[in-house]
């Protein structure tokens, strides 16, 4: 046993180093249109993942304490008297909107991108 | 004849996302562990100059860049190797995304975006 006294700790990095994204040869890059290699698309993709994760996690979307938040808008109720514009609801709306916009941008850069099933293309403005 | 794997955007600063959750960063001991893991792993690919892991504000206010890990290398080559090697690897079960980060923003302590 070497180095007694030194706390032996397992790194959180996974052991296998053989799983990183494969670097494709140039001719394949041409076929795929360089998908995944365009840093802009990469950034959009990573933000998209981030948003998806936030939307799926049960944690509060805005954890600022009561005093630090900006004032709430007037409540809006549905036909059953249930308030619909709660903080949670508004935060989700905001993330969903950003998500749709990011998907639109990715499609613009990479027409081969397959959007998630719940993606609705934005309506074209007149 | 430069090898450009990531377009022209390679910098000396590499940013890891999706590796950490906010909770990971709240505990001091855990934070030190994570810092050590990052130093060790990052040092395998090149000469590390600086490692920055933003922490959440204790008062609960949002603070920029929480959840990201910034690895600054002495040269672009090191950062490039690290980016290639670390992108897609798993850290604590999370699949890590590694991208280059603008040097000027990093130098100014801007960690958002």
């Amino acid at each position: 046993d070497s180095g007694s006294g030194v706390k032996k700790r397992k790194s959180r990095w996974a052991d296998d180093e053989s799983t990183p994204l494969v670097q494709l040869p140039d001719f394949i890059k041409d076929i795929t249109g360089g998908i995944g290699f365009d840093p802009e698309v990469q950034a959009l993709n990573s933000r998209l993942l981030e948003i998806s994760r936030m939307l799926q996690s049960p944690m509060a979307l805005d954890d600022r304490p009561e005093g630090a938040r900006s004032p709430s808008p007037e409540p809006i109720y549905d036909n059953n008297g249930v308030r619909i514009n709660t903080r949670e609801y508004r935060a989700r709306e905001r993330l969903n909107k950003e998500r749709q916009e990011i998907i639109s941008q990715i499609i613009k850069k990479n027409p081969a991108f397959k959007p998630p099933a719940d993606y609705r293309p934005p309506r074209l403005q007149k | 004849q430069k090898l450009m794997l990531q377009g022209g955007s390679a910098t000396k600063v590499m940013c890891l996302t999706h590796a950490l959750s906010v909770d990971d960063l709240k505990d001091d001991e855990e934070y030190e562990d994570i810092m050590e893991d990052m130093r060790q792993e990052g040092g395998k690919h090149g000469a590390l100059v600086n490692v920055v892991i933003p922490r959440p504000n204790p008062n609960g206010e949002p603070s920029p860049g929480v959840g990201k890990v910034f690895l600054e290398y002495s040269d672009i080559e090191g950062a490039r190797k690290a980016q290639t090697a670390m992108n897609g690897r798993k850290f604590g079960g999370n699949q890590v995304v590694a991208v280059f980060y603008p040097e000027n923003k990093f130098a100014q302590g801007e960690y958002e975006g």
Side-chain angles (χ1 to χ4, degrees):
Chain A
D1 192 333
S2 62
S4 55
V6 178
K7 197 172 69 172
K8 187 76 180 158
R9 199 177 46 78
K10 194 182 183 323
S11 172
R12 292 166 186 231
W13 285 102
D15 290 329
D16 58 324
E17 304 200 27
S18 55
T19 46
L21 299 183
V22 185
Q23 293 288 341
L24 301 175
D26 278 341
F27 70 93
I28 296 188
K29 271 192 222 175
D30 291 341
I31 296 169
T32 58
I35 298 157
F37 295 92
D38 181 339
E40 258 181 84
V41 173
Q42 209 176 36
L44 286 171
N45 269 321
S46 93
R47 177 66 184 149
L48 189 60
L49 277 172
E50 206 174 316
I51 291 175
S52 306
R53 209 168 68 157
M54 282 160 83
L55 284 171
Q56 279 161 15
S57 73
M59 73 168 195
L61 294 165
D62 184 350
D63 55 3
R64 280 175 289 179
E66 195 65 44
R69 302 195 292 246
S70 45
S72 301
E74 289 295 309
I76 299 173
Y77 301 96
D78 69 6
N79 291 337
N80 299 317
V82 179
R83 187 172 168 199
I84 53 172
N85 64 338
T86 59
R87 291 165 39 69
E88 170 89 351
Y89 175 86
R90 285 179 283 128
R92 276 187 184 277
E93 283 290 278
R94 204 160 51 231
L95 283 176
N96 269 322
K97 190 156 169 263
E98 188 183 347
R99 182 163 172 270
Q100 303 278 334
E101 279 164 9
I102 287 178
I103 294 172
S104 304
Q105 285 183 58
I106 296 179
I107 292 176
K108 214 180 281 176
K109 288 175 178 299
N110 172 19
F113 177 79
K114 199 171 171 301
D118 61 340
Y119 169 68
R120 300 273 171 276
R123 308 194 80 210
L124 296 171
Q125 309 277 343
K126 265 196 184 165
Chain B
Q1 59 193 45
K2 274 186 196 162
L3 187 64
M4 290 292 194
L5 288 175
Q6 291 292 327
S9 65
T11 66
K12 292 180 198 171
V13 182
M14 231 258 302
C15 173
L16 302 178
T17 62
H18 299 85
L20 306 171
S21 75
V22 178
D23 283 337
D24 292 336
L25 299 163
K26 283 182 180 158
D27 184 78
D28 284 346
E29 226 172 277
E30 204 158 341
Y31 181 80
E32 288 307 317
D33 279 0
I34 291 168
M35 183 61 95
E36 190 53 36
D37 283 348
M38 291 299 171
R39 283 214 186 98
Q40 269 183 11
E41 195 62 30
K44 290 179 184 172
H45 308 290
L48 269 177
V49 178
N50 196 5
V51 177
V52 173
I53 308 178
R55 292 188 77 173
N57 265 326
N59 59 13
E61 274 177 44
S63 71
V66 170
K68 294 179 183 167
V69 177
F70 296 90
L71 303 171
E72 185 186 6
Y73 287 85
S74 63
D75 53 21
I76 288 182
E77 200 43 49
R80 202 198 299 276
K81 274 190 200 159
Q83 196 273 335
T84 309
M86 292 164 109
N87 192 28
R89 278 199 58 199
K90 292 219 164 155
F91 183 80
N94 302 322
Q95 188 158 27
V96 173
V97 175
V99 292
F100 294 111
Y101 195 79
E103 284 164 25
N104 53 348
K105 277 175 87 176
F106 180 76
Q108 285 162 14
E110 278 182 48
Y111 303 132
E112 197 60 83

